[in-house]
Amino acid sequence: MRRRAGLVLLSLAVFFAALSPLLRFYAFPRLVKVPPGQYQETVLEARPATLLNYGTLQAERVEKITIVQTLKGNVEESERIERDAGRDVVVWDALTHIQGPDGKMVSQIPERYVFDAHSQAPVHAGGTSVDGDPVRREGIAYKWPFLTEKRDYQYFDAQTRASAPIHYRGTRTFRGLDVYYFEQTVPWTKVPFPKKMPIPGVDATTLEKQTGTTRWYTTKRMFWVDPVTGAPVNGEEIHQEELRGGTLLGGRDRVTAFEGHVKMRPDYLDHTVELVKEQRLLVLLMTSYLPRGLLALAVMLLALAFLLEARARRPAAPAG
């Protein structure tokens, strides 16, 4: 009986030992993914800030500028692309809505991102766009891959419609989480005007051609990223925009259109941190807790099997 029990324990030990790496290196890359129907809203503020008054075309110091960012998963579109791509795809429809201290719209830029649900790598299947213009995205946007590495990544900038390195600057502690800090500086670059702008009597889509005035932009972008889920728990930008030259400025060389240090509003920051803490537990179960637990269980079963086998081989005690 001991030998039979030992063989059963040995079989279970082999099974759990094989299941441990299988769960980590086979199941995890296939099962853990970004859900296609995710919805997320984030509110950021710049306090104080400089904002162009489009009525007088004068830069004014204001109490705050509010930026509302929404990400909405387009399930129908992702399913359509999946049929051709042959893999799990997520389509995010994003909207960046900027409003002044009076609550009126300053600009509004819609975006669409198509990416692999597991790796977050862009999927070039058409449909990716910024402000209605088709773009070919390289690198990440909004989210890092699961199990983020300590290295630089290519990050897509919606204003310039181009990707550039975002640099890993070390590990930090943020609200009880060990996070990776990334930083990117976009130098002054001429960028298109948003198609929705509060300029009376002027079509923003042809503004540069009509007036000769150009729009320029620079930013220092900062992210604190949870390395387990790849989700940013905090994001900030030191953002500057200028209008330069042309007849719109009445002979002036340049004027500040927007300048401020953009930060997440505290209540949304609290919600984001709590959400990431919940999601990281699920990822850790697949990558760490379960594989290690199964391996430890296999070692215990193997030791118990050897113990039973050793006892079964002991010579019987002589009869009295």
Side-chain angles (χ1 to χ4, degrees):
M1 289 296 293
R2 285 180 179 175
R3 287 192 172 181
R4 285 184 182 178
L7 288 174
V8 171
L9 292 176
L10 181 61
S11 300
L12 289 174
V14 173
F15 172 74
F16 288 129
L19 186 59
S20 174
L22 192 67
L23 188 65
R24 168 63 182 85
F25 298 106
Y26 182 82
F28 165 69
R30 290 163 176 79
L31 297 179
V32 176
K33 60 182 180 179
V34 177
Q38 184 175 355
Y39 178 83
Q40 181 178 335
E41 181 182 85
T42 306
V43 176
L44 305 99
E45 294 177 333
R47 289 176 175 264
T50 301
L51 182 65
L52 181 64
N53 184 322
Y54 285 95
T56 63
L57 289 178
Q58 297 291 330
E60 299 177 353
R61 195 71 169 171
V62 296
E63 177 189 357
K64 69 173 181 177
I65 294 175
T66 303
I67 302 173
V68 182
Q69 289 183 336
T70 57
L71 291 173
K72 183 179 180 182
N74 191 324
V75 178
E76 183 178 347
E77 189 66 13
S78 65
E79 290 177 348
R80 184 190 67 80
I81 296 176
E82 282 177 358
R83 287 194 291 268
D84 296 328
R87 53 175 165 165
D88 293 327
V89 173
V90 173
V91 177
W92 271 352
D93 288 331
L95 181 67
T96 302
H97 178 90
I98 303 176
Q99 60 188 41
D102 55 0
K104 293 183 179 180
M105 186 266 291
V106 174
S107 68
Q108 194 176 82
I109 301 178
E111 305 165 51
R112 171 169 286 186
Y113 294 104
V114 184
F115 59 93
D116 186 281
H118 302 279
S119 67
Q120 282 74 75
V123 175
H124 303 297
T128 302
S129 63
V130 175
D131 208 10
D133 299 326
V135 297
R136 182 179 176 86
R137 177 173 70 92
E138 301 295 341
I140 58 178
Y142 289 106
K143 185 188 179 300
W144 272 250
F146 294 107
L147 304 182
T148 302
E149 299 176 9
K150 297 179 179 181
R151 64 175 178 87
D152 297 348
Y153 287 84
Q154 288 291 111
Y155 192 89
F156 181 77
D157 183 272
Q159 296 278 2
T160 62
R161 273 70 158 173
S163 298
I166 188 165
H167 303 287
Y168 168 74
R169 298 299 192 195
T171 302
R172 302 185 181 183
T173 301
F174 184 83
R175 299 202 174 194
L177 290 175
D178 290 332
V179 298
Y180 294 169
Y181 174 67
F182 291 89
E183 190 177 286
Q184 181 191 57
T185 298
V186 179
W188 281 107
T189 307
K190 186 169 82 72
V191 295
F193 283 93
K195 293 178 181 178
K196 285 190 176 181
M197 295 179 65
I199 305 178
V202 177
D203 183 2
T205 59
T206 59
L207 181 60
E208 184 176 341
K209 291 182 179 180
Q210 290 176 346
T211 65
T213 301
T214 55
R215 176 173 172 257
W216 292 73
Y217 148 91
T218 182
T219 194
K220 179 182 178 182
R221 180 174 287 123
M222 297 158 280
F223 284 107
W224 289 256
V225 178
D226 170 48
V228 177
T229 62
V233 296
N234 185 32
E236 298 181 8
E237 282 194 27
I238 301 176
H239 189 103
Q240 291 177 272
E241 292 180 23
E242 289 182 353
L243 302 186
R244 297 183 182 180
T247 59
L248 187 66
L249 303 185
R252 289 174 294 172
D253 179 56
R254 65 186 64 193
V255 63
T256 298
F258 173 26
E259 183 177 350
H261 190 160
V262 181
K263 301 179 181 181
M264 289 179 66
R265 209 169 72 183
D267 54 336
Y268 280 86
L269 189 58
D270 294 338
H271 173 73
T272 300
V273 171
E274 290 304 315
L275 183 62
V276 169
K277 285 182 178 179
E278 293 176 6
Q279 294 175 340
R280 77 193 308 269
L281 179 60
L282 298 175
V283 179
L284 285 172
L285 280 173
M286 296 288 291
T287 60
S288 179
Y289 298 157
L290 284 178
R292 291 180 181 179
L294 290 172
L295 193 59
L297 180 60
V299 172
M300 291 172 59
L301 292 173
L302 184 63
L304 187 57
F306 285 153
L307 179 61
L308 291 176
E309 178 66 18
R311 287 185 176 182
R313 292 191 178 190
R314 286 181 184 176

Short mmCIF file of all heavy atoms in Angstrom, two decimals, residues 145-173:
data_model
loop_
_atom_site.label_atom_id
_atom_site.label_comp_id
_atom_site.label_asym_id
_atom_site.label_seq_id
_atom_site.Cartn_x
_atom_site.Cartn_y
_atom_site.Cartn_z
N PRO A 145 3.49 47.13 -21.83
CA PRO A 145 3.17 45.69 -21.85
C PRO A 145 3.09 45.11 -20.44
O PRO A 145 3.65 45.66 -19.49
CB PRO A 145 4.35 45.07 -22.63
CG PRO A 145 4.99 46.21 -23.34
CD PRO A 145 4.76 47.41 -22.51
N PHE A 146 2.38 43.98 -20.31
CA PHE A 146 2.43 43.24 -19.05
C PHE A 146 3.89 42.86 -18.76
O PHE A 146 4.67 42.58 -19.67
CB PHE A 146 1.59 41.96 -19.16
CG PHE A 146 0.12 42.21 -19.31
CD1 PHE A 146 -0.52 42.01 -20.53
CD2 PHE A 146 -0.64 42.67 -18.25
CE1 PHE A 146 -1.88 42.23 -20.68
CE2 PHE A 146 -2.01 42.90 -18.39
CZ PHE A 146 -2.62 42.68 -19.61
N LEU A 147 4.24 42.86 -17.48
CA LEU A 147 5.62 42.57 -17.04
C LEU A 147 6.59 43.52 -17.73
O LEU A 147 7.52 43.11 -18.45
CB LEU A 147 5.98 41.10 -17.30
CG LEU A 147 5.05 40.07 -16.67
CD1 LEU A 147 5.54 38.66 -16.96
CD2 LEU A 147 4.89 40.29 -15.17
N THR A 148 6.38 44.80 -17.52
CA THR A 148 7.22 45.85 -18.11
C THR A 148 8.69 45.66 -17.71
O THR A 148 8.99 45.33 -16.56
CB THR A 148 6.74 47.23 -17.65
OG1 THR A 148 5.37 47.39 -18.04
CG2 THR A 148 7.56 48.34 -18.26
N GLU A 149 9.58 45.88 -18.66
CA GLU A 149 11.01 45.70 -18.41
C GLU A 149 11.67 47.04 -18.08
O GLU A 149 11.15 48.11 -18.39
CB GLU A 149 11.68 45.09 -19.65
CG GLU A 149 11.13 43.72 -20.02
CD GLU A 149 11.75 43.19 -21.29
OE1 GLU A 149 12.72 43.81 -21.78
OE2 GLU A 149 11.27 42.17 -21.81
N LYS A 150 12.85 46.94 -17.47
CA LYS A 150 13.63 48.14 -17.12
C LYS A 150 14.44 48.57 -18.32
O LYS A 150 15.66 48.37 -18.40
CB LYS A 150 14.54 47.85 -15.92
CG LYS A 150 13.82 47.51 -14.65
CD LYS A 150 14.80 47.22 -13.52
CE LYS A 150 14.08 46.88 -12.22
NZ LYS A 150 15.03 46.62 -11.11
N ARG A 151 13.78 49.17 -19.30
CA ARG A 151 14.44 49.60 -20.52
C ARG A 151 13.63 50.71 -21.18
O ARG A 151 12.51 51.01 -20.76
CB ARG A 151 14.60 48.43 -21.49
CG ARG A 151 13.28 47.85 -22.00
CD ARG A 151 13.51 46.78 -23.04
NE ARG A 151 12.29 46.16 -23.53
CZ ARG A 151 11.57 46.64 -24.54
NH1 ARG A 151 11.94 47.75 -25.17
NH2 ARG A 151 10.47 46.02 -24.95
N ASP A 152 14.20 51.31 -22.20
CA ASP A 152 13.49 52.33 -22.95
C ASP A 152 12.49 51.68 -23.91
O ASP A 152 12.70 50.57 -24.39
CB ASP A 152 14.48 53.19 -23.77
CG ASP A 152 15.45 53.96 -22.87
OD1 ASP A 152 15.21 54.00 -21.65
OD2 ASP A 152 16.43 54.50 -23.41
N TYR A 153 11.40 52.40 -24.16
CA TYR A 153 10.38 51.95 -25.11
C TYR A 153 10.12 53.05 -26.13
O TYR A 153 10.42 54.22 -25.88
CB TYR A 153 9.05 51.63 -24.39
CG TYR A 153 9.06 50.36 -23.58
CD1 TYR A 153 9.55 50.33 -22.27
CD2 TYR A 153 8.57 49.16 -24.10
CE1 TYR A 153 9.55 49.17 -21.52
CE2 TYR A 153 8.56 47.99 -23.36
CZ TYR A 153 9.05 48.00 -22.07
OH TYR A 153 9.06 46.84 -21.33
N GLN A 154 9.58 52.68 -27.28
CA GLN A 154 9.09 53.67 -28.24
C GLN A 154 7.68 54.08 -27.82
O GLN A 154 6.83 53.23 -27.61
CB GLN A 154 9.07 53.08 -29.65
CG GLN A 154 10.45 52.89 -30.28
CD GLN A 154 11.12 54.21 -30.60
OE1 GLN A 154 12.10 54.57 -29.97
NE2 GLN A 154 10.60 54.91 -31.57
N TYR A 155 7.47 55.39 -27.71
CA TYR A 155 6.17 55.90 -27.27
C TYR A 155 5.61 56.83 -28.34
O TYR A 155 6.29 57.75 -28.81
CB TYR A 155 6.29 56.63 -25.94
CG TYR A 155 4.95 56.93 -25.29
CD1 TYR A 155 4.37 56.02 -24.44
CD2 TYR A 155 4.28 58.12 -25.56
CE1 TYR A 155 3.14 56.26 -23.85
CE2 TYR A 155 3.05 58.38 -24.98
CZ TYR A 155 2.49 57.45 -24.12
OH TYR A 155 1.26 57.71 -23.55
N PHE A 156 4.35 56.61 -28.70
CA PHE A 156 3.71 57.39 -29.77
C PHE A 156 3.15 58.69 -29.21
O PHE A 156 2.43 58.71 -28.22
CB PHE A 156 2.58 56.57 -30.40
CG PHE A 156 1.88 57.28 -31.53
CD1 PHE A 156 2.46 57.37 -32.79
CD2 PHE A 156 0.64 57.85 -31.33
CE1 PHE A 156 1.82 58.02 -33.82
CE2 PHE A 156 -0.03 58.50 -32.36
CZ PHE A 156 0.56 58.59 -33.61
N ASP A 157 3.49 59.79 -29.89
CA ASP A 157 3.00 61.12 -29.50
C ASP A 157 1.90 61.54 -30.48
O ASP A 157 2.14 61.65 -31.68
CB ASP A 157 4.15 62.12 -29.52
CG ASP A 157 3.71 63.50 -29.07
OD1 ASP A 157 3.26 64.29 -29.92
OD2 ASP A 157 3.81 63.79 -27.86
N ALA A 158 0.70 61.78 -29.95
CA ALA A 158 -0.44 62.09 -30.82
C ALA A 158 -0.32 63.46 -31.47
O ALA A 158 -0.88 63.69 -32.55
CB ALA A 158 -1.73 62.01 -30.02
N GLN A 159 0.38 64.39 -30.84
CA GLN A 159 0.52 65.73 -31.41
C GLN A 159 1.41 65.72 -32.65
O GLN A 159 1.07 66.28 -33.69
CB GLN A 159 1.09 66.69 -30.36
CG GLN A 159 0.20 66.92 -29.15
CD GLN A 159 -0.88 67.95 -29.42
OE1 GLN A 159 -1.01 68.49 -30.51
NE2 GLN A 159 -1.68 68.23 -28.40
N THR A 160 2.57 65.07 -32.52
CA THR A 160 3.53 65.04 -33.64
C THR A 160 3.25 63.90 -34.62
O THR A 160 3.84 63.87 -35.70
CB THR A 160 4.96 64.87 -33.11
OG1 THR A 160 5.07 63.62 -32.42
CG2 THR A 160 5.32 65.99 -32.15
N ARG A 161 2.35 62.97 -34.23
CA ARG A 161 2.04 61.79 -35.05
C ARG A 161 3.28 60.94 -35.29
O ARG A 161 3.45 60.30 -36.33
CB ARG A 161 1.47 62.18 -36.40
CG ARG A 161 -0.03 62.39 -36.48
CD ARG A 161 -0.50 63.60 -35.78
NE ARG A 161 -1.81 64.03 -36.30
CZ ARG A 161 -2.52 65.01 -35.77
NH1 ARG A 161 -2.06 65.66 -34.69
NH2 ARG A 161 -3.68 65.37 -36.29
N ALA A 162 4.20 60.91 -34.33
CA ALA A 162 5.45 60.17 -34.49
C ALA A 162 5.81 59.51 -33.17
O ALA A 162 5.33 59.90 -32.10
CB ALA A 162 6.57 61.09 -34.95
N SER A 163 6.68 58.50 -33.24
CA SER A 163 7.15 57.78 -32.04
C SER A 163 8.59 58.18 -31.74
O SER A 163 9.38 58.45 -32.65
CB SER A 163 7.06 56.27 -32.25
OG SER A 163 5.72 55.87 -32.46
N ALA A 164 8.91 58.19 -30.46
CA ALA A 164 10.27 58.51 -30.00
C ALA A 164 10.51 57.75 -28.71
O ALA A 164 9.55 57.33 -28.04
CB ALA A 164 10.43 60.01 -29.80
N PRO A 165 11.78 57.54 -28.33
CA PRO A 165 12.06 56.78 -27.11
C PRO A 165 11.52 57.48 -25.86
O PRO A 165 11.64 58.70 -25.72
CB PRO A 165 13.59 56.70 -27.08
CG PRO A 165 14.02 56.93 -28.49
CD PRO A 165 13.01 57.86 -29.07
N ILE A 166 10.92 56.69 -24.99
CA ILE A 166 10.61 57.17 -23.64
C ILE A 166 11.53 56.38 -22.71
O ILE A 166 11.60 55.15 -22.77
CB ILE A 166 9.12 56.99 -23.29
CG1 ILE A 166 8.82 57.66 -21.96
CG2 ILE A 166 8.67 55.53 -23.31
CD1 ILE A 166 7.33 57.86 -21.70
N HIS A 167 12.28 57.08 -21.87
CA HIS A 167 13.43 56.50 -21.18
C HIS A 167 13.08 56.02 -19.77
O HIS A 167 12.39 56.72 -19.01
CB HIS A 167 14.56 57.52 -21.10
CG HIS A 167 14.99 58.05 -22.44
ND1 HIS A 167 15.71 57.30 -23.33
CD2 HIS A 167 14.76 59.24 -23.05
CE1 HIS A 167 15.94 58.01 -24.44
NE2 HIS A 167 15.37 59.19 -24.28
N TYR A 168 13.56 54.83 -19.45
CA TYR A 168 13.45 54.30 -18.09
C TYR A 168 14.44 55.06 -17.20
O TYR A 168 15.63 55.11 -17.49
CB TYR A 168 13.75 52.80 -18.08
CG TYR A 168 13.94 52.22 -16.69
CD1 TYR A 168 12.84 52.01 -15.87
CD2 TYR A 168 15.21 51.89 -16.23
CE1 TYR A 168 13.01 51.47 -14.59
CE2 TYR A 168 15.38 51.36 -14.97
CZ TYR A 168 14.28 51.15 -14.15
OH TYR A 168 14.46 50.63 -12.89
N ARG A 169 13.92 55.63 -16.10
CA ARG A 169 14.76 56.46 -15.22
C ARG A 169 14.88 55.89 -13.81
O ARG A 169 15.29 56.59 -12.90
CB ARG A 169 14.20 57.88 -15.14
CG ARG A 169 14.16 58.64 -16.46
CD ARG A 169 15.54 58.81 -17.05
NE ARG A 169 15.53 59.77 -18.16
CZ ARG A 169 16.51 59.89 -19.03
NH1 ARG A 169 17.59 59.12 -18.92
NH2 ARG A 169 16.45 60.78 -20.01
N GLY A 170 14.50 54.63 -13.62
CA GLY A 170 14.70 54.02 -12.31
C GLY A 170 13.40 53.54 -11.67
O GLY A 170 12.31 53.80 -12.15
N THR A 171 13.57 52.82 -10.55
CA THR A 171 12.44 52.29 -9.79
C THR A 171 12.15 53.21 -8.61
O THR A 171 13.07 53.64 -7.92
CB THR A 171 12.76 50.88 -9.28
OG1 THR A 171 13.04 50.03 -10.41
CG2 THR A 171 11.58 50.29 -8.51
N ARG A 172 10.88 53.50 -8.41
CA ARG A 172 10.47 54.39 -7.33
C ARG A 172 9.29 53.77 -6.58
O ARG A 172 8.66 52.83 -7.05
CB ARG A 172 10.10 55.77 -7.86
CG ARG A 172 11.24 56.43 -8.64
CD ARG A 172 10.90 57.84 -9.06
NE ARG A 172 12.00 58.45 -9.82
CZ ARG A 172 12.00 59.70 -10.27
NH1 ARG A 172 10.93 60.48 -10.05
NH2 ARG A 172 13.03 60.18 -10.93
N THR A 173 8.99 54.33 -5.42
CA THR A 173 7.82 53.90 -4.65
C THR A 173 6.76 54.97 -4.77
O THR A 173 7.01 56.15 -4.49
CB THR A 173 8.18 53.67 -3.18
OG1 THR A 173 9.20 52.67 -3.09
CG2 THR A 173 6.97 53.20 -2.40
#
